[in-house]
């Protein structure tokens, strides 16, 4: 059960509850009738794969950002030509009461990522569309692209407290015509029109189409009164009254006869019944707050559900002319349903937990917010030292930018609740030599937290106050001024824990960093340079060449900062991988979508290349967060990842660089690009001494023989794909020799064949059995080693015979070549393994 199953029912309903619609035709019809535009609200969380760019399967390589921007530009053009206004809502709320659902979703994405990496490692198969996982930096890239397009018919917004409730409230208050989403909550909220975001299609001819859920027919198919959808959704289970809480009720409901429905008072005990009724009323209030009836209440009154309120008071009997089609609900069934629900609410009292749930349904952001979050103060730490307040002018500006989608989605929750959610990254579950992205970029986030709470400024003031009160010396320790801020980071861990990670904010190494008010509102001549220096200090890139336009253009500052951070913290990159990143950033193919797509057949995909691309994009997302927190020293037009990175192009450059390609080959023979790469490398490596490059893994030919595997060092992979019949193993790239991370030599591909073949013209292969080893002077008759004497010549011969026998067992006896087969070359069939 669960409310999410309601959406699956709507999409699989074959009784006419879903129909295809052409939004361009609907907009034209509305323009002809009412001379108004068609206005649609899109829940971006349900169609991130569609907004990314369609059915392309290169998202796992790191993102094809130019293609995504072209898709959004085409969407904005179609909306402008068809006179359709689109508002795209992203989830910017913490939603603490739904945090368990968030962890479950993260665990599901983690399993999908593991499956994708396993398929890539074993078969080299790219994932399908159904395995799409939101890649790193996807939401900031979408927001940046929409801002760059700056179309009046397409806008982006963030929710603040309760995402889906704010979306439906925004739709009703601004008189939008429809909602495009894919969640069961919207079906219960009864929007004006409900479009499917999963079936969103945009063609090159400008056809903007999707499918619509007709709730009149859905209600008829469910044989459910339209006024009872809130009760139906509450009994399905949600984040308030979970499926686990309703499991005994479901069990008795399925085990009972069709004519006898078990009453909840017979299922639960008295104590459990009281708790379940309280949760049921909270769940009922949640769904009622998003309905049309609750929106008609107005701004001056609030809907209250208390212990004495009956379902008939919340949902009055349906009378008069029905807006839905004729319903096939009998009066007996309706009265029986009302009687059952009334038995659950009569003479019941809510526990000491919040007894009333008030909600101002007319405000779009602050009011659409459950009182459970309003009554709970933000927990920022465990000591009194963490209770630092943020100025009201800062909160007001952060709320405004958050609502309009012009700030990072992490800033507003950090300032108001000191909490942040970090989605799972597309990386292996056991990263090995590369750490997880959340841990790797934690030092940057800690410095950004210090900027948002003006930690440097507060420490200076606290230090001066301590000097005045306690007559400190002039060389008093800077760390003695105890000003601490703790931020809760919700990160998915494989241990199944739902507890957040408490991260302490750290001051910047630049001790003269101004306060957040000065960074955001400063209008003096040097404030712009201070913003940029604060950003570069967070990224560990406060060097002269980074800000020199001759070495680093403005649109490559974020790229250089992320690369410099990756070189400073741990041995992550190898030399040729740095060259691949640099060649990607300056490549003119970044703006040629068709040329990049043609590289799909040429580049070789590796797990490490995909992991590095995802780690780099997570660093870009962290850099965008730091840029907004420092007052946006870099304009949004210089922050798009399409300016310096493309996942498919990077995989191609990495494949070339791994084969020791020359700089001219990486730059397509353009000498100017080689000089630009030299300048970028000089700026990135400025001041970095003894850079620890990652070592290349030791690679040896693999074999499936146990005897051969015993001769290999411990930890070596000895598995090989299974084949059928004659097996041919061919190395496409040949071999290479690396010394200290540098490729000093390589050789071409080789073909090896070892098999037993019988037949005419091929000769017969005699089966060679290894000789039985006999005890030597080093061993006694029972196999125990003897400690006296040196090995004799006979013992050495026995050892050599044993080793030769083991190699013969692994490799096989040499195959005699028949005269008729001397000029015959081996033929490679389609089923042969390569």
């Amino acid at each position: 059960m669960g409310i999410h199953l309601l959406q699956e029912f709507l999409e699989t309903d074959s009784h006419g509850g879903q129909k295809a619609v052409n939004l361009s035709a609907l907009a034209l019809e509305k323009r002809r009738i009412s001379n108004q535009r068609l206005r649609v609200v899109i829940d971006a969380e349900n169609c991130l794969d569609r907004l990314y760019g369609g059915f392309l399967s290169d998202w796992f390589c790191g993102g094809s950002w130019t293609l995504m921007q072209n898709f959004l530009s085409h969407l904005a053009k179609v909306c402008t030509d068809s006179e359709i206004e689109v508002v795209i809502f992203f989830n910017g709320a913490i939603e603490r009461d739904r945090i368990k659902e968030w962890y479950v979703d993260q665990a599901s994405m983690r399993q999908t990522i593991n499956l994708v990496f396993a398929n890539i490692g074993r078969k080299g198969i790219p994932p399908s569309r159904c395995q799409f996982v939101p890649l790193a930096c996807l939401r900031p890239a979408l927001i940046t692209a929409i801002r760059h397009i700056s179309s009046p018919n397409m806008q982006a917004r963030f929710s603040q407290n309760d995402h889906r409730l704010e979306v439906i409230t925004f739709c009703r208050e601004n008189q939008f015509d429809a909602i495009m989403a894919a969640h069961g909550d919207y079906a219960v909220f009864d929007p004006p029109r409900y479009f499917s975001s999963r079936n969103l299609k945009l063609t090159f001819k400008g056809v903007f189409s999707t499918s619509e859920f007709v709730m009149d027919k859905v209600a008829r198919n469910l044989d459910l009164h339209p006024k009872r959808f809130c009760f139906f959704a509450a009994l399905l289970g949600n984040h308030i009254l979970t499926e686990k809480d309703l499991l005994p009720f479901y069990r008795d409901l399925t085990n009972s006869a069709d004519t006898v429905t078990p009453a909840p008072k017979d299922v639960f005990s008295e104590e459990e019944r009281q708790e379940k009724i309280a949760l049921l009323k909270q769940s009922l209030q949640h769904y009622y707050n998003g309905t049309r009836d609750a929106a008609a209440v107005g701004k001056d009154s609030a809907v209250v559900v208390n212990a004495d309120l009956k379902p008939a008071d919340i949902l009055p009997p349906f009378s008069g002319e029905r807006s839905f089609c004729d319903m096939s609900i009998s009066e007996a069934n309706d009265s029986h349903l009302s009687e059952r629900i009334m038995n659950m609410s009569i003479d019941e009292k809510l526990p000491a937990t919040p007894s009333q749930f008030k909600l101002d349904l007319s405000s779009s952001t602050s009011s659409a917010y459950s009182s459970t979050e309003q009554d709970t103060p933000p927990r920022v730490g465990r000591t009194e030292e963490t209770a630092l307040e943020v100025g009201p002018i800062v909160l007001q500006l952060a709320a405004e930018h958050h609502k309009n989608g012009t700030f990072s989605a992490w800033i507003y929750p950090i300032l108001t609740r000191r909490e942040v959610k970090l989605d799972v990254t597309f990386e292996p579950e056991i990263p090995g030599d590369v750490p997880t992205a959340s841990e790797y970029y934690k030092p940057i986030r800690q410095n950004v937290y210090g900027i948002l709470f003006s930690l440097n400024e507060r420490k200076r003031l606290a230090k001066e106050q301590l000097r005045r009160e306690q007559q400190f010396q002039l060389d008093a320790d800077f760390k003695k001024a105890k000003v601490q801020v703790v931020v809760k980071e919700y990160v998915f861990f494989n241990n199944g824990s739902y507890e957040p990670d408490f991260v302490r904010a750290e001051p910047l190494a630049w001790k003269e960093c101004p306060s957040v008010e000065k960074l955001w509102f400063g209008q003096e001549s040097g404030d712009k340079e201070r913003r940029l220096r604060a950003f570069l200090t967070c990224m560990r890139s406060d060097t002269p060449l980074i800000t020199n336009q001759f070495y680093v253009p403005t649109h490559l500052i974020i790229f250089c900062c992320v690369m410099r951070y990756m070189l400073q913290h741990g041995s992550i990159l190898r030399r040729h991988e740095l060259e691949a990143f640099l060649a990607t950033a300056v490549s003119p193919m970044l703006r040629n979508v068709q040329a990049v797509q043609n590289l799909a057949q040429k580049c070789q995909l590796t797990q490490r290349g995909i992991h590095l691309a995802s780690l780099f994009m997570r660093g870009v997302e962290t850099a965008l967060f730091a840029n907004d927190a420092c007052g946006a020293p870099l304009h949004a037009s210089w922050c798009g990842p399409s300016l310096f990175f493309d996942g498919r192009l990077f995989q191609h450059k990495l494949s070339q660089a791994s084969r020791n390609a020359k700089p001219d080959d990486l730059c397509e023979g353009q000498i100017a690009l080689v000089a630009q790469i030299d300048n970028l490398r000089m700026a990135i490596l400025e001041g970095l001494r003894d850079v620890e490059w990652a070592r290349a893994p030791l690679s040896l030919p693999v074999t499936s023989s146990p005897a051969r595997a015993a001769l290999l060092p411990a930890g070596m992979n000895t598995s090989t794909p299974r084949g059928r019949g004659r097996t041919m193993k061919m190395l496409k790239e040949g071999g290479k020799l690396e010394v200290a991370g540098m490729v000093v030599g390589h050789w071409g591909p080789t073909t090896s064949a070892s098999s037993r073949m019988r037949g005419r013209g091929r000769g017969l292969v005699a089966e060679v059995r290894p000789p039985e080893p006999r005890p030597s002077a080093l061993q006694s008759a029972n196999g125990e080693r003897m400690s006296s004497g040196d090995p004799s010549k006979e013992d050495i011969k026995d050892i050599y015979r044993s080793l030769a026998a083991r190699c013969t067992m692994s490799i096989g006896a040499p195959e005699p070549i028949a005269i008729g087969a001397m000029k015959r070359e081996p033929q490679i069939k389609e089923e042969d393994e390569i």
Side-chain angles (χ1 to χ4, degrees), residues 534-555:
F535 167 72
L536 296 178
T537 305
C538 287
M539 300 300 299
R540 278 69 172 169
S541 302
D542 189 12
T543 57
L545 293 185
I546 288 290
T547 56
N548 192 330
Q549 292 290 322
F550 178 77
Y551 290 90
V552 181
T554 306
H555 69 280

Side-chain angles (χ1 to χ4, degrees), residues 692-811:
E692 297 182 4
W693 301 98
R695 294 183 179 180
L698 179 63
S699 59
L700 288 177
V702 297
T703 178
S704 60
S705 174
R708 180 70 176 274
L711 298 177
L712 296 179
M716 290 296 298
N717 183 15
T718 60
S719 61
T720 182
R722 293 184 178 179
R724 189 176 54 171
R726 191 180 184 191
T727 303
M728 301 291 296
K729 299 172 189 157
M730 181 176 296
L731 302 177
K732 296 182 179 179
E733 299 179 3
K736 59 182 178 180
L737 177 63
E738 294 186 7
V739 176
M742 291 293 296
V743 179
V744 297
H746 61 88
W747 53 90
T750 59
T751 304
S752 62
S754 63
S755 61
R756 292 187 177 94
M757 294 174 291
R758 298 179 181 269
R760 194 172 175 182
R762 296 179 181 269
L764 299 177
V765 179
E767 184 177 1
V768 179
R769 295 185 179 181
E772 294 291 337
R774 57 184 180 181
S776 63
L778 297 179
Q779 295 180 344
S780 62
N782 56 1
E784 298 179 356
R785 183 178 179 87
M786 302 177 62
S787 58
S788 62
D790 295 331
S792 61
K793 294 182 178 180
E794 294 295 328
D795 298 328
I796 296 176
K797 291 181 180 180
D798 291 339
I799 295 175
Y800 280 127
R801 290 194 191 99
S802 178
L803 291 176
R806 297 175 69 179
C807 293
T808 303
M809 293 173 58
S810 173
I811 302 176

Side-chain angles (χ1 to χ4, degrees), residues 459-469:
K459 278 185 172 289
R460 285 198 299 269
L461 296 178
K463 181 180 177 180
E464 294 176 0
Q465 184 178 1
L466 288 175
R467 283 177 176 176
R468 290 193 301 266
E469 293 179 356

Side-chain angles (χ1 to χ4, degrees), residues 5-13 18 187 194 213 215 218:
L5 295 181
L6 179 59
Q7 180 65 30
E8 296 183 6
F9 172 79
L10 295 178
E11 295 179 354
T12 58
D13 185 18
Q18 184 177 181
Y194 186 20
F213 302 111
M215 299 308 299
V218 172

Side-chain angles (χ1 to χ4, degrees), residues 160-199:
Q160 293 182 344
N161 301 301
D162 193 321
H163 177 64
R164 285 185 282 273
L165 193 58
E166 291 181 25
V167 171
I168 187 64
T169 306
F170 178 84
C171 176
R172 297 191 191 282
E173 287 186 353
N174 296 275
Q175 298 179 355
F176 273 67
D177 300 303
I179 284 182
M180 186 178 295
H183 198 276
D185 285 351
Y186 295 108
V188 180
F189 292 155
D190 189 21
R193 300 184 74 169
Y194 186 20
F195 296 149
S196 173
S197 61
R198 294 178 181 175
N199 297 327

